Amino acid sequence: MARTFGEMGIREIQTGLAAKEFSAAEVARGTFERIGEADGAVHAFLETTEELALDAAARIDAAVAEGRLAEMGPLAGVPVGYKDNLNLTGAHTTCSSNMLRDYVSPYTATCVEKTLRAGALPIGKLNMDEFAFGGSTETSAFGPTFNPWDVERVPGGSSGGSAAAVAAGFVPVSLGSDTGGSIRQPGSFCGLVAVKPTYGVVSRYGVVAFGSSLDQVGPFARSVEDAAFALNALSGRDELDCTSQPCDVDFTANLAEGARGMKIGIVPAFMEAAGLAPEVRAKVEEAATVLQDMGAELVEVELPHAQAAMSAYYVLGPCEAFSNLARFDSVRYGYCDPGHKDLASQYEASRAKGFGPEARRRIMLGSYLLSAGVYDKYYYPAQQVRTLITRDYAAAFEKVDVILSPVAPTTAFKIGEICDPTEMYLADMFTISINIAGNGGLSFPVGLGADTGLPVGVQIIAPPFKDKNMFRAAAALEQHYGPAPVAPDFADGKVGA
């Protein structure tokens, strides 16, 4: 069977459209046909948006007929999927929770709107951990998503549906959100280029918040160039989000420069961390050697307070989650438990039944941490640690252009294998500090682990608002490793054909 549209890159799709080898409408219909054939094995999508995609395709086809395809934007004619905490007018935005099972969004998130303005075909909403609380996409109220590389394993989380949709070749690009590693970790587990930009590069307006000072939206793709095209579409100042910043950067501009002359930071404490699997460590060391052979200089740097990042995050994150989830009161929107005579019992029952176990766990933890007598003991010191970690990264980036590290301590684990929440949290041990400091981070796939035969990603960390540095380093690695493949069992339409 011929390659599907979801297996193509952005340039390939746009070249085919310009040459009239196929139409945007055919791209959209072919994408939905492929999802219908094969998503039963993955469960990446919660909802598809055929009408919206075909309307967008009609606009692209009209532009092709008039010779204006180049004016339609960097994602013109490209199928894109959206994590289900990103609002899209007329589609459900459930956050994979029973609390929002029936919620239909009356407005569109800025990041989603920007992809539509850039010509994207909106394909649908993607599964996730409930309210982004999790690292495996097992906490979804609608059932887990499965890793296309091994459907007995998790795709990572919380943006597992977004990662799986690209890894299975359903769409070339998807969007996820990252609070402590929720783009980069599933990117590593599914063998993709996965980007968490610097905090403020992408507007958070219309993104259902987990941790407002930590969340950032970014793309999944199978090539560095496609990820850069997507971030070009997403980035920039938004008057609706006061934390967003001007970002007049073309992230594709330096992809051909190579690694020569770059200084690559290596953190010895990361490479010697307890729990880091030998196959993952070997792949990170291999990637460092590849960059060195290309002319980069490896420099050891220290992040003295990085070991405190996990503790600080699991104070700051639940506190912000508790605050953000207070709005779900069963009155204005969300699940409302019937049959109660007073408001207090209605609140209690609706929230108890609407939220899943992990959401309730974080609500209770955040409530405790913000209570009188506890706030000063935990929350304030966590903010102090945040400052120290931010300073550590700033000092390290005075010596290097990027830092290279593991993304996750292991490759993808099996569905149901990790039941202890604390053990699950440790999957983010290398990614959390970047969200605390606000830096950009990118997961790049460097092949398969020697022991498990599953994808391994390396993390490239950039200074704030110098995300182009990590794209340059990733593009250099791509010269050696090549773009990410579609998971073998799904390549060339194998599953469901």
Short mmCIF file of all heavy atoms in Angstrom, two decimals, residues 37 51 75 232 236 305 355 359 419 425:
data_model
loop_
_atom_site.label_atom_id
_atom_site.label_comp_id
_atom_site.label_asym_id
_atom_site.label_seq_id
_atom_site.Cartn_x
_atom_site.Cartn_y
_atom_site.Cartn_z
N GLU A 37 -9.63 3.30 9.90
CA GLU A 37 -9.09 1.96 9.72
C GLU A 37 -8.25 1.49 10.91
O GLU A 37 -8.33 0.33 11.31
CB GLU A 37 -8.19 1.93 8.47
CG GLU A 37 -8.91 2.06 7.16
CD GLU A 37 -7.92 2.21 6.01
OE1 GLU A 37 -6.71 2.46 6.26
OE2 GLU A 37 -8.37 2.12 4.86
N GLU A 51 -16.20 18.06 9.31
CA GLU A 51 -16.76 19.25 8.67
C GLU A 51 -15.78 20.42 8.70
O GLU A 51 -15.59 21.11 7.69
CB GLU A 51 -18.06 19.65 9.36
CG GLU A 51 -18.79 20.81 8.68
CD GLU A 51 -20.13 21.12 9.33
OE1 GLU A 51 -20.62 20.29 10.13
OE2 GLU A 51 -20.69 22.19 9.00
N LEU A 75 1.47 25.84 7.32
CA LEU A 75 0.81 24.54 7.51
C LEU A 75 -0.29 24.31 6.48
O LEU A 75 -1.18 23.48 6.68
CB LEU A 75 0.22 24.44 8.92
CG LEU A 75 1.22 24.56 10.08
CD1 LEU A 75 0.49 24.50 11.43
CD2 LEU A 75 2.28 23.46 10.01
N ASN A 232 6.75 28.00 14.03
CA ASN A 232 6.62 29.29 13.35
C ASN A 232 5.17 29.75 13.33
O ASN A 232 4.87 30.94 13.52
CB ASN A 232 7.12 29.18 11.90
CG ASN A 232 8.63 29.28 11.78
OD1 ASN A 232 9.32 29.62 12.73
ND2 ASN A 232 9.15 28.96 10.60
N GLY A 236 4.43 33.79 19.11
CA GLY A 236 4.18 35.23 19.03
C GLY A 236 3.29 35.77 20.13
O GLY A 236 2.62 35.03 20.85
N HIS A 305 21.05 22.58 41.99
CA HIS A 305 19.76 22.44 42.67
C HIS A 305 18.75 21.62 41.86
O HIS A 305 17.58 21.54 42.24
CB HIS A 305 19.18 23.83 42.97
CG HIS A 305 20.06 24.66 43.87
ND1 HIS A 305 20.98 25.55 43.37
CD2 HIS A 305 20.17 24.70 45.22
CE1 HIS A 305 21.62 26.13 44.38
NE2 HIS A 305 21.15 25.62 45.51
N PHE A 355 -14.42 14.11 38.80
CA PHE A 355 -12.96 13.99 38.72
C PHE A 355 -12.53 12.55 38.99
O PHE A 355 -13.08 11.87 39.84
CB PHE A 355 -12.29 14.90 39.76
CG PHE A 355 -12.42 16.36 39.47
CD1 PHE A 355 -12.97 17.23 40.41
CD2 PHE A 355 -11.97 16.90 38.27
CE1 PHE A 355 -13.08 18.59 40.15
CE2 PHE A 355 -12.07 18.25 38.00
CZ PHE A 355 -12.63 19.11 38.95
N ALA A 359 -6.86 13.29 39.54
CA ALA A 359 -7.29 14.68 39.71
C ALA A 359 -7.65 14.95 41.16
O ALA A 359 -7.27 15.98 41.73
CB ALA A 359 -8.47 14.98 38.79
N CYS A 419 1.83 1.39 39.03
CA CYS A 419 0.61 1.75 39.74
C CYS A 419 0.86 2.74 40.87
O CYS A 419 -0.07 3.41 41.33
CB CYS A 419 -0.06 0.50 40.31
SG CYS A 419 -0.55 -0.72 39.06
N TYR A 425 5.62 9.58 38.88
CA TYR A 425 6.14 10.94 38.85
C TYR A 425 7.62 10.96 38.48
O TYR A 425 8.10 11.91 37.86
CB TYR A 425 5.97 11.61 40.21
CG TYR A 425 4.53 11.77 40.69
CD1 TYR A 425 4.25 12.01 42.03
CD2 TYR A 425 3.46 11.66 39.81
CE1 TYR A 425 2.94 12.14 42.48
CE2 TYR A 425 2.16 11.79 40.25
CZ TYR A 425 1.90 12.03 41.58
OH TYR A 425 0.61 12.16 42.02
#
